[in-house]
Amino acid sequence: MARPDKAAAVAELKDKFQSSSAVVLTEYRGLTVAQLKTLRRSLGENAQYAVVKNTLTKIAANEAGITSLDDQFTGPTGAAFITGDPVESAKGLRDFAKDNPNLIIKGGVLDGKALSADEIKKLADLESREVLLSKLAGAFKGKQSQTASLFQALPSKFVRTAEALRVKLEEQGGAE
């Protein structure tokens, strides 16, 4: 039978897997405690970084229904549990890894879909959710303005054409 402390650790990790929108696994070999503290700050408010035990984390992930990470639980492993915008946290990980080559991004999972290290780096290259939404809103506003201009142009063009026709008819009537 499992020891109570290990069972509690598995339950806590399982809850983190289930409540997170994304989880990124890293290898932190060679990082100091101060560097890990800096890493935790660079992830943003919506992410928690924890050094985890491979066996317990693998069990917790499997219990949470995530089996795609099984081969990544080797070596010293740290997990970033992301509850908010995954782009912000992925950028934090990428930027920290650039400055600290000892941090290696192994892979992760986003909304139940497995991600490779390269896919996480591509995710980091995206703009934030707020920027993407504002660009979408701007595009909609631009299309609405074009549509409104089109609808305003039709009646005014009709009025100008009718006025030109009236003037032409007057000129023809006055010439005869």
Side-chain angles (χ1 to χ4, degrees):
M1 179 155 199
R3 291 191 352 218
D5 57 333
K6 289 185 178 184
V10 168
E12 181 182 346
L13 287 167
K14 178 184 172 186
D15 287 343
K16 285 185 178 183
F17 273 107
Q18 290 175 333
S19 64
S20 298
S21 60
V23 178
V24 178
L25 298 179
T26 64
E27 183 176 321
Y28 64 91
R29 186 185 325 249
L31 292 178
T32 65
V33 173
Q35 289 171 322
L36 286 173
K37 189 175 182 181
T38 304
L39 171 61
R40 286 183 175 100
R41 273 183 280 176
S42 71
L43 292 178
E45 300 171 3
N46 299 322
Q48 291 180 322
Y49 186 82
V51 172
V52 295
K53 292 189 179 279
N54 289 328
T55 306
L56 298 180
T57 308
K58 184 177 179 179
I59 292 169
N62 288 334
E63 286 183 9
I66 301 169
T67 58
S68 57
L69 300 176
D70 286 354
D71 60 333
Q72 296 177 9
F73 292 113
T74 58
T77 303
F81 296 97
I82 304 164
T83 55
D85 184 14
V87 173
E88 176 186 352
S89 299
K91 284 181 184 186
L93 281 168
R94 178 199 60 197
D95 295 343
F96 186 86
K98 281 182 185 176
D99 297 337
N100 301 282
N102 287 337
L103 182 76
I104 299 168
I105 298 173
K106 295 180 179 182
V109 64
L110 173 65
D111 294 328
K113 181 188 177 292
L115 297 176
S116 68
D118 290 335
E119 290 173 322
I120 292 170
K121 290 174 185 169
K122 287 179 185 175
L123 181 67
D125 292 336
L126 289 176
E127 294 175 330
S128 71
R129 183 176 189 271
E130 291 77 20
V131 171
L132 291 174
L133 287 174
S134 65
K135 284 185 175 184
L136 181 64
F140 281 142
K141 184 178 179 187
K143 292 296 180 190
Q144 288 176 341
S145 297
Q146 289 175 346
T147 304
S149 298
L150 176 67
F151 286 133
Q152 289 175 346
L154 290 174
S156 63
K157 187 174 182 180
F158 174 75
V159 169
R160 286 193 305 271
T161 304
E163 180 63 21
L165 182 62
R166 185 189 64 78
V167 168
K168 184 176 180 181
L169 289 175
E170 281 181 5
E171 287 175 359
Q172 286 178 352
E176 293 178 24

